[in-house]
Amino acid sequence: MLMDSAAGGNDAGAPRAQVPGGEGEPHSPYRDARLGSTDKELKAGATDEGSAPGALGSPRQRTPRVKVMDPARAPQNQLPRPCLVLVLLNPRGGKGKALQLFRSHVQPLLAQADVSFRLLLTERRNHARELVRTEELGRWDALVVMSGDGVMHEVVNGLMERPDWETAIRKPLCSLPAGSGNALAASLNHYAGYEQVTNEDLLNNCTLLLCRRQLAPMNLLSLRMLSGLRVFSVLSLAWGFIADVDIESEKFRRLGERRFTVGTLLRLVALRVYRGRLAYLPVEQGVSAVPAPPPLDPQDRQGPVDAHLVPLEEPVPAHWTVVPEQDFVLVLVQLHSHLGSEMLVAPMGHGGAGAMHLFYVRAGVSRAALLRLFLAMEKGRHMECNCPYLVYVPVVAFRLEPKDGKGVFAVDGEMMVSEAVQGQVHPDYVWMVSGRGDPSPSLEPQWPPPSRKPQQQAPPPEVSL
């Protein structure tokens, strides 16, 4: 499903704008999915100012193929002006209102900021992953994901599965929150110096970041499973309490972010422990340690070399720290500041290039103490609770080996079977639309956008590709 727009206007940068008021199926050819389908919303009679469906929705009989991205188009520190972006929107994410929010909150600001777009609605799990595998990336200045964190996870892994992954992963990405968790968007909002907000306010702030066009590199986490699977994460890996809450609260998706509150309370009532062994490479050791020799497995050519990792069948290197096998309540590996739009789990920041946050809570913590930790986490004050069961370490690599088969992994909010896993952070590997920079206040879009008389509006130009 798609719509197109070409819009013009001004840049943005206001620190706080006043706003009124998923992924797992078989691959389908992208050309057919993109150009052979019809927007159900438009079919029902709805239209968008600045959109030009029509000709662009007509099917083309052509075999899908991958057009290799030109390395010369690697990003600088800012998107061009004007720019053209591909928006991947999940209409079922969060409360199911993403498309309406795009029309009411995002599109008017893009119209002022000279950002043209093609809007594509994902239709099933892993649809976005399939699409970016074969998309001709050179046509777009950025890929914009309007959903929760799961679709961004799909996009990054789809880019890393391309034959030109080394250049494809450098295509700038933008996160617009329209899911339940919105942790990545909340983190980018935090880095930009905005106050912690949710819902439409967070969406508005992130849209302003896109209008400002500033880019910054972000870390990428490479995960390797005992089964041989390799996955890339842009946010986190959770095991135990947090993963259970994330996955089990899916049934309350219509509650939006409140689903996590409900899930937390339910899991506290039936608190579990999880047997496992943990090891990690602290930041200070990772800087001074000599990396292991690059693996020779041809499969490892798809993606960066994890120089700090050895095969899971072997013991971790001697300079790693090993936590004795024990019962845990939770283990969390986190790349960014937020685990949700109201969960400032890493108030110490994003950890810097090549570093990530490791938290774990040992068994023995009381339900009351655990509840206090999560309540304090809203403002990032849980580290001040001085809970003796909570441990925090900045790391560059880790290994986690579940021993009793309990629990699941949640990787960027997506469920994975728990098995032995290890991971290494790769510094400054993904380019994201960010709040870094100092744009001119005179170029900020206004909210609400200035009203225009209908008879004075010229029809928007059609994007022909």
Side-chain angles (χ1 to χ4, degrees):
M1 301 182 186
L2 60 85
M3 295 186 293
D4 295 272
S5 171
N10 298 323
D11 254 341
R16 176 77 165 80
Q18 298 300 319
V19 184
E23 305 125 342
E25 303 244 343
H27 174 70
S28 63
Y30 177 47
R31 185 71 57 182
D32 295 342
R34 180 165 59 84
L35 294 175
S37 58
T38 305
D39 188 329
K40 290 185 175 64
E41 293 290 331
L42 294 176
K43 195 172 181 181
T47 59
D48 282 78
E49 178 185 356
S51 66
L56 286 165
S58 57
R60 296 181 188 175
Q61 302 301 321
R62 199 168 86 181
T63 304
R65 63 186 180 88
V66 175
K67 183 174 181 180
V68 175
M69 181 178 167
D70 182 1
R73 291 182 62 92
Q76 304 299 315
N77 62 352
Q78 197 169 35
L79 293 175
R81 183 186 181 92
C83 67
L84 177 63
V85 302
L86 176 62
V87 180
L88 299 170
L89 183 149
N90 177 10
R92 294 166 300 283
K95 296 181 179 180
K97 297 181 178 179
L99 185 57
Q100 297 94 306
L101 289 171
F102 180 84
R103 290 169 170 162
S104 61
H105 288 74
V106 177
Q107 192 169 345
L109 290 177
L110 299 186
Q112 297 182 63
D114 213 7
V115 178
S116 301
F117 64 87
R118 169 170 281 187
L119 176 61
L120 189 149
L121 307 185
T122 61
E123 299 172 347
R124 59 185 179 276
R125 298 176 69 87
N126 267 336
H127 192 193
R129 187 174 189 158
E130 297 165 8
L131 299 180
V132 300
R133 273 194 209 125
T134 54
E135 176 57 40
E136 296 177 3
L137 296 178
R139 301 188 300 171
W140 315 107
D141 295 305
L143 303 179
V144 178
V145 176
M146 185 161 176
S147 182
D149 299 306
V151 177
M152 183 63 79
H153 174 86
E154 288 186 21
V155 167
V156 166
N157 280 274
L159 293 174
M160 293 301 292
E161 291 165 357
R162 293 168 59 101
D164 62 340
W165 62 269
E166 290 180 280
T167 48
I169 195 59
R170 293 180 62 80
K171 176 60 62 178
L173 304 175
C174 175
S175 177
L176 298 182
S180 301
N182 305 317
L184 181 58
S187 298
L188 296 169
N189 181 77
H190 178 70
Y191 303 151
Y194 296 160
E195 64 180 84
Q196 183 167 291
V197 290
T198 62
N199 301 319
E200 286 84 355
D201 286 339
L202 179 59
L203 175 60
N204 188 57
N205 283 358
C206 291
T207 304
L208 289 176
L209 295 182
L210 175 57
C211 294
R212 290 173 61 174
R213 292 172 163 76
Q214 298 293 315
L215 300 175
M218 302 287 174
N219 294 335
L220 181 68
L221 174 58
S222 169
L223 296 170
R224 293 178 180 271
M225 310 293 182
L226 183 61
S227 60
L229 179 66
R230 190 180 190 186
V231 178
F232 295 95
S233 166
V234 293
L235 181 64
S236 64
L237 176 143
W239 178 60
F241 185 89
I242 290 177
D244 287 352
V245 168
D246 197 351
I247 302 305
E248 293 171 2
S249 66
E250 278 285 334
K251 63 176 74 74
F252 308 121
R253 176 171 289 275
R254 289 292 175 178
L255 296 177
E257 296 172 13
R258 285 180 295 174
R259 65 177 256 211
F260 300 111
T261 302
V262 174
T264 297
L265 295 175
L266 291 176
R267 180 47 50 214
L268 278 172
V269 172
L271 189 60
R272 299 172 181 162
V273 294
Y274 310 80
R275 190 79 178 175
R277 183 164 55 211
L278 178 65
Y280 56 85
L281 179 59
V283 167
E284 58 272 16
Q285 291 292 332
V287 172
S288 59
V290 177
L296 300 177
D297 189 344
Q299 181 179 339
D300 290 324
R301 296 173 186 169
Q302 189 74 20
V305 174
D306 295 324
H308 287 296
L309 305 182
V310 298
L312 277 162
E313 297 81 5
E314 300 178 9
V316 296
H319 58 281
W320 282 45
T321 299
V322 177
V323 179
E325 181 176 326
Q326 61 185 273
D327 290 335
F328 296 91
V329 172
L330 66 88
V331 175
L332 173 67
V333 179
Q334 181 82 11
L335 287 178
H336 291 289
S337 63
H338 281 67
L339 193 58
S341 60
E342 293 185 291
M343 294 185 70
L344 180 51
V345 69
M348 57 290 294
H350 56 76
M356 55 188 172
H357 310 284
L358 171 64
F359 298 88
Y360 61 93
V361 175
R362 301 192 303 267
V365 64
S366 68
R367 290 177 175 82
L370 193 59
L371 178 59
R372 282 195 297 271
L373 284 177
F374 277 88
L375 292 176
M377 196 177 292
E378 179 179 348
K379 301 299 182 184
R381 306 192 68 172
H382 50 291
M383 302 303 294
E384 302 173 14
C385 294
N386 296 318
C387 177
Y389 298 94
L390 171 63
V391 180
Y392 164 73
V393 189
V395 302
V396 298
F398 78 98
R399 177 183 288 186
L400 175 60
E401 300 172 86
K403 293 298 182 180
D404 57 7
K406 291 183 181 178
V408 295
F409 290 149
V411 178
D412 299 343
E414 301 301 296
M415 184 179 73
M416 297 186 67
V417 175
S418 64
E419 58 178 318
V421 61
Q422 60 183 354
Q424 172 181 328
V425 64
H426 290 273
D428 295 346
Y429 217 82
V430 179
W431 285 87
M432 297 288 299
V433 169
S434 164
R436 299 174 191 177
D438 188 20
S440 169
S442 63
L443 296 179
E444 297 173 2
Q446 306 169 41
W447 185 269
S451 59
R452 293 177 293 173
K453 296 180 181 179
Q455 62 268 27
Q456 292 177 339
Q457 291 181 354
E462 182 175 308
V463 179
S464 299
L465 299 172

